[in-house]
Amino acid sequence: MNRLPLDPSLAPPGTRSFRDAGGIPADRWRADQDGETLVPTHCCFCGVQCGMYLRVDRGGKVFGVEPRNHDINRMRLCPKGINAYQQVNHPDRLTAPLLRRSRDEPFREASWEEALDFTAAAIRRVQAAHGNDAFGLLGGASLFSEKTYLVGKFARVALKTRHVDYNGRLCMVSAAGANKLAFGIDRAANPFSDILLTDCLLIAGSNVGECFPVMTQYVWGARDRGATLIVVDPRETAVARTADIHVALKPGTDSAFFNALLHVVVKEDLVDEAYVAAHTTGWAEVRDKAAEYPPERAAEICGVPAAQIVEVARTFARAPRAMAWHARGIEHHSQGVENCLSVINLCVATGNLGRPGAGYGTITGQGNGQGGREHGQKADLLPGGRSIMNAEHRRQICEIWGIEESELPPAGTSMMEMVHQMRRQEIRGLIGICNNPFVSLPNYKVVKEGYDALDFHAQFDFFLSETAANAHVVFPVTTWAEDEGVMANAEARVVKHNKAQEPPAGVRTDTWVICQLAQRLGAGDKFAFAGSREVFDELRVASAGTVNDYYGITYERLEETGGIAWPCPSTDHPGTPRLFEDGRTWHPDGRIHMQVVEWHAPMDPYDDEHPLSLTTGRTVAHFLSGNQTRRLGALVEQTPRPWVEVHPSHGFRNGEPVRVVTRRASEVFPALVTEAIRPDTVFIPYHWPVPTAANALTIDALDPRSKIPEYKVCACRIEPGDRVAEVPAPPTAPGHLAYPAAEASRTDPLPPTSPQGRGTAERG
């Protein structure tokens, strides 16, 4: 039998003999059914990007999935990954363009020529009457990087508008802003594998067990080796339940907590003074600000014991190797950038950067949450992470694109700001690609008003989302399994997705649609791409020499290696899985620019009418706006509807209707009564539309630097409701019926059995 060679230091105690005996199956499986093909690819969902094989029958149709022994996931898939293949040949798939000239009319199926011509004419009409910037474009971070590159180029070259942004604005931009300020580069500093080598792992604001389930293997692998696990989260999540220390702080108080940790580190002489002196700027100012946050003050702000703050600081700082990872829980705030900077300050002050098992990471939510912001669809960025405000960066891109510098628009506004511009009719036309703002943006009433005010709206999607159902034109496009392209996962590892089947008749790739529209707008010569490979070749050239250098990455190398971390400047370069090993950052002076952080209260104030904190998040069975997962029977059966988690002290029984009231709206959910949440906090998952939409309740306050919405905290009250609101069926195209399995489950009035911790009520 072939044995899998292992480095003993990377195997949990007692497991090496099991693994060497064949405990992990060999990679490169071959189908054992006659006529079946296994196509190696990656999951379409979260930023872990698990390897998988899609099973393809002799007729060329995807009909199943097998886990893949890729080193990211080692044969593991989560419930979403296991069911993802069901999207591909789903009965709800859009298979023809939908068109209507007015929202008062029903959709009808149209030819591609009619839909494309109608859209191009609408663009010209809006821009002729109101200027180029009256038309906007919103992309998505679940698109392949080739397509995100095209989104940014199409907006600036074909539409000639400054208004382009993407739904990663709702995800990673606070982390991106902090990373650029501190390090001059926007990505995680360490690969996942470094988690296995750490002595202390701190996870802040990330429900890893549900949002990134396969990443849990790294967390528990570290624990198997003796690492201390610290989880900072208002809820006792599945991973928090296994932690050595769970800090159940009040939502919106993260930077006060991390400033207090730094205060203790300084006071107890736990600072790595040599590292700070050799590699940083701004330390004196950061240290002085931390002095204003003694544990006693932070304990009052955060609602946790001062002794626990001291314990966490000592545990992290005394560990030979410590790591901190965070996600949306500390980023979805009006002080999201500052929260991230406060974590960076702790890692830097203790010398935990640039070493195996010592560092800092940001966990991307969407599959291409990392790559989706690197190559130009973000309002202020050009390909390669270049700044659109930088004259030299503009010159470089204009030369590659073959346009005059005067033709390149300036920076635009963020996704939520664009919605307000729609309401004011400053933006009067919009194309949306790979997004569903009617569910994913905060303050639904404002979002609906903004979209309703548009003179023209088109969406690209493979299912009819709630947002697409409000459009004038809907273009039916491919799923991830019907095209090829790359994504960058949470480690900044670029991985290759492979095409497994031909799309249904009538369906086209996003690339083809963009190029066809560009041709009709007079920019066809700049978009003469036959497919993803040609786009990727241009992307590589456009990124060469930048911080986000992809030039040395090729499709062939990705197939051979299983993924390459950027920057990768040449085809003989191995990539850069770990940053800062030489002690230098990407700032011109090579130093870490530490930043002063001051805590401020959330934007939605508490009062007698709204005394509680509402926080939102994901659940293991669903993804983002749910447009994909709310149609898959097994996932809907597992989690058919949203609920509100409430502490037993509020007196509700499990399943009773609870009305949640904020300053924007009120909705009724079934109670999930659990001791695993703070008494002053309630939680609602956000994957569903009105009248069961968490984001009808959330506030659209923005971080002033990243422009990310403050999803994770707003003031609310709870009271008995009359009856639980029924979950709406997902929209379907004319002539289609709702998927029966999903239809049966979504009317269930009770909350699902929760995977959360102690005291969770079971369904009767």
Side-chain angles (χ1 to χ4, degrees):
M1 177 182 293
N2 291 331
R3 296 179 182 272
L4 182 68
L6 287 175
D7 178 346
S9 69
L10 299 183
T15 64
R16 184 178 182 191
S17 59
F18 167 77
R19 289 190 177 184
D20 282 353
I24 297 178
D27 202 357
R28 303 185 185 278
W29 281 10
R30 293 293 178 263
D32 57 6
Q33 303 296 320
D34 183 39
E36 179 183 338
T37 303
L38 296 182
V39 177
T41 191
H42 292 262
C43 183
C44 57
F45 289 121
C46 83
V48 178
Q49 284 293 282
C50 295
M52 60 168 56
Y53 290 105
L54 289 175
R55 300 178 67 186
V56 182
D57 66 20
R58 64 174 67 248
K61 296 293 186 183
V62 169
F63 74 95
V65 66
E66 295 284 354
R68 183 178 167 203
N69 198 30
H70 194 282
D71 64 2
I72 291 175
N73 58 307
R74 289 286 185 171
M75 300 297 295
R76 297 165 178 86
L77 293 175
C78 81
K80 291 186 291 292
I82 290 169
N83 287 278
Y85 77 93
Q86 295 179 26
Q87 299 175 26
V88 182
N89 295 300
H90 195 285
D92 281 1
R93 283 291 301 274
L94 297 174
T95 56
L98 303 179
L99 186 148
R100 59 185 173 188
R101 297 180 181 277
S102 163
R103 292 192 185 92
D104 297 329
E105 302 173 5
F107 277 123
R108 62 177 175 83
E109 291 191 353
S111 70
W112 274 99
E113 287 298 310
E114 182 184 10
L116 290 164
D117 289 346
F118 181 74
T119 300
I123 294 169
R124 288 193 295 267
R125 183 174 64 251
V126 166
Q127 292 187 321
H130 306 287
N132 289 347
D133 291 340
F135 209 96
L137 179 59
L138 287 172
S142 290
L143 291 167
F144 295 153
S145 293
E146 294 88 343
K147 297 175 182 181
T148 68
Y149 174 84
L150 279 185
V151 166
K153 183 177 180 181
F154 178 79
R156 279 108 182 195
V157 175
L159 290 177
K160 303 182 186 300
T161 181
R162 63 191 287 253
H163 287 308
V164 58
D165 206 42
Y166 76 124
N167 66 2
R169 181 69 66 176
L170 319 178
C171 181
M172 285 297 297
V173 289
S174 290
N179 291 339
K180 290 296 288 290
L181 285 168
F183 306 125
I185 189 171
D186 166 24
R187 53 156 283 194
N190 297 67
F192 290 157
S193 57
D194 271 8
I195 296 173
L196 298 173
L197 305 176
T198 194
D199 300 299
C200 178
L201 175 62
L202 187 153
I203 300 174
S206 179
N207 182 5
V208 172
E210 293 204 73
C211 301
F212 315 98
V214 175
M215 189 178 177
T216 308
Q217 67 176 307
Y218 295 96
V219 177
W220 287 345
R223 296 220 62 198
D224 285 345
R225 292 173 182 80
T228 301
L229 175 60
I230 303 167
V231 174
V232 182
D233 198 299
R235 304 164 65 219
E236 189 183 75
T237 63
V239 168
R241 193 167 72 247
T242 70
D244 297 282
I245 306 172
H246 172 213
V247 183
L249 82 179
K250 186 175 182 178
T253 64
D254 304 273
S255 59
F257 172 75
F258 281 98
N259 273 352
L261 296 184
L262 194 57
H263 177 103
V264 175
V265 169
V266 172
K267 184 177 180 180
E268 299 195 1
D269 295 324
L270 298 173
V271 175
D272 187 333
E273 297 286 359
Y275 183 87
V276 169
H279 299 293
T280 74
T281 66
W283 166 240
E285 294 80 4
V286 168
R287 181 193 59 209
D288 292 348
K289 178 55 64 175
E292 300 175 16
Y293 288 85
E296 295 75 20
R297 180 192 175 198
E300 185 174 345
I301 293 170
C302 302
V304 297
Q308 189 180 54
I309 295 173
V310 174
E311 180 187 17
V312 171
R314 289 171 176 169
T315 302
F316 191 88
R318 289 173 177 172
R321 298 168 297 184
M323 297 190 77
W325 289 78
H326 60 71
R328 308 302 81 70
I330 73 167
E331 296 159 20
H332 276 162
H333 292 275
S334 57
Q335 52 186 335
V337 174
E338 293 162 295
N339 288 344
C340 299
L341 287 168
S342 69
V343 180
I344 291 171
N345 287 342
L346 175 67
C347 292
V348 173
T350 55
N352 283 297
L353 208 66
R355 294 183 286 130
Y360 166 80
T362 58
I363 312 172
T364 51
Q366 296 189 64
N368 205 22
Q370 176 67 55
R373 65 186 188 269
E374 295 170 355
H375 297 294
Q377 66 171 343
K378 189 166 174 277
D380 58 338
L381 292 184
L382 293 169
R386 293 177 175 88
S387 170
I388 200 168
M389 289 84 77
N390 181 295
E392 177 58 18
H393 292 179
R394 291 170 62 87
R395 185 198 64 76
Q396 292 168 355
I397 286 299
C398 287
E399 183 175 328
I400 293 167
W401 285 350
I403 63 174
E404 297 296 325
E405 291 181 50
S406 59
E407 297 178 74
L408 185 63
T413 51
S414 72
M415 190 173 189
M416 194 67 212
E417 290 173 311
M418 286 175 65
V419 169
H420 287 284
Q421 289 172 290
M422 295 176 206
R423 291 177 78 210
R424 298 192 297 266
Q425 293 202 303
E426 296 168 12
I427 295 176
R428 304 181 74 115
L430 183 77
I431 293 174
I433 305 175
C434 188
N435 55 56
N436 188 14
F438 276 31
V439 177
S440 60
L441 278 176
N443 198 353
Y444 168 77
K445 179 177 179 292
V446 166
V447 177
K448 181 69 161 60
E449 290 172 354
Y451 274 79
D452 283 348
L454 291 170
D455 296 341
F456 176 79
H457 171 210
Q459 284 284 133
F460 293 29
D461 218 322
F462 50 84
F463 291 135
L464 190 66
S465 70
E466 285 76 14
T467 307
N470 199 63
H472 295 92
V473 174
V474 183
F475 292 113
V477 290
T478 47
T479 67
W480 97 107
E482 296 158 345
D483 200 5
E484 65 176 349
V486 306
M487 291 191 179
N489 79 342
E491 309 164 284
R493 185 200 307 223
V494 181
V495 297
K496 173 73 162 44
H497 289 243
N498 292 313
K499 182 177 179 178
Q501 77 166 47
E502 292 297 325
V507 171
R508 304 288 185 269
T509 67
D510 307 83
T511 299
W512 184 88
V513 183
I514 289 171
C515 292
Q516 287 291 313
L517 286 173
Q519 188 177 70
R520 285 163 171 78
L521 295 172
D525 60 319
K526 306 294 192 299
F527 292 84
F529 300 108
S532 295
R533 287 177 179 263
E534 290 80 3
V535 180
F536 190 65
D537 286 342
E538 183 172 298
L539 181 157
R540 291 174 57 226
V541 171
S543 73
T546 69
V547 174
N548 302 62
D549 197 331
Y550 275 45
Y551 184 75
I553 301 174
T554 66
Y555 280 6
E556 291 72 25
R557 291 192 71 198
L558 293 177
E559 297 282 8
E560 292 169 5
T561 62
I564 299 171
W566 64 263
C568 182
S570 64
T571 53
D572 59 357
H573 191 282
T576 314
R578 185 183 301 112
L579 301 180
F580 317 126
E581 289 187 295
D582 60 357
R584 292 188 60 82
T585 71
W586 271 255
H587 287 304
D589 61 5
R591 289 180 170 257
I592 302 161
H593 293 189
M594 300 185 76
Q595 308 286 322
V596 172
V597 173
E598 178 75 88
W599 173 79
H600 64 76
M603 297 300 288
D604 207 18
Y606 303 105
D607 58 23
D608 292 341
E609 290 293 310
H610 306 91
L612 304 177
S613 297
L614 167 63
T615 192
T616 66
R618 283 158 53 185
T619 185
V620 68
H622 291 292
F623 190 65
L624 304 183
S625 76
N627 189 44
Q628 300 172 69
T629 55
R630 284 187 278 115
R631 301 172 192 271
L632 305 185
L635 298 179
V636 175
E637 185 175 347
Q638 180 178 352
T639 308
R641 60 161 306 115
W643 65 89
V644 56
E645 285 184 21
V646 296
H647 192 270
S649 61
H650 293 291
F652 290 99
R653 298 184 62 184
N654 203 54
E656 286 186 338
V658 176
R659 182 174 296 278
V660 182
V661 184
T662 71
R663 293 182 173 92
R664 288 150 297 283
S666 70
E667 291 182 332
V668 180
F669 304 88
L672 197 158
V673 182
T674 175
E675 295 174 1
I677 193 167
R678 289 176 56 98
D680 60 4
T681 302
V682 299
F683 168 85
I684 303 171
Y686 64 76
H687 310 288
W688 290 266
V690 290
T692 56
N695 283 327
L697 306 171
T698 49
I699 187 170
D700 53 345
L702 304 179
D703 182 294
R705 286 190 278 199
S706 69
K707 309 299 183 183
I708 203 169
E710 189 155 60
Y711 290 108
K712 287 298 183 283
V713 57
C714 66
C716 75
R717 70 173 183 270
I718 56 176
E719 58 195 30
D722 298 329
R723 66 181 183 86
V724 170
E726 184 174 306
V727 178
T732 54
H736 289 240
L737 298 176
Y739 191 40
E743 184 75 11
S745 294
R746 70 177 181 81
T747 57
D748 190 334
L750 294 177
T753 300
S754 172
Q756 302 304 328
R758 57 190 169 77
T760 297
E762 296 294 331
R763 297 180 61 162

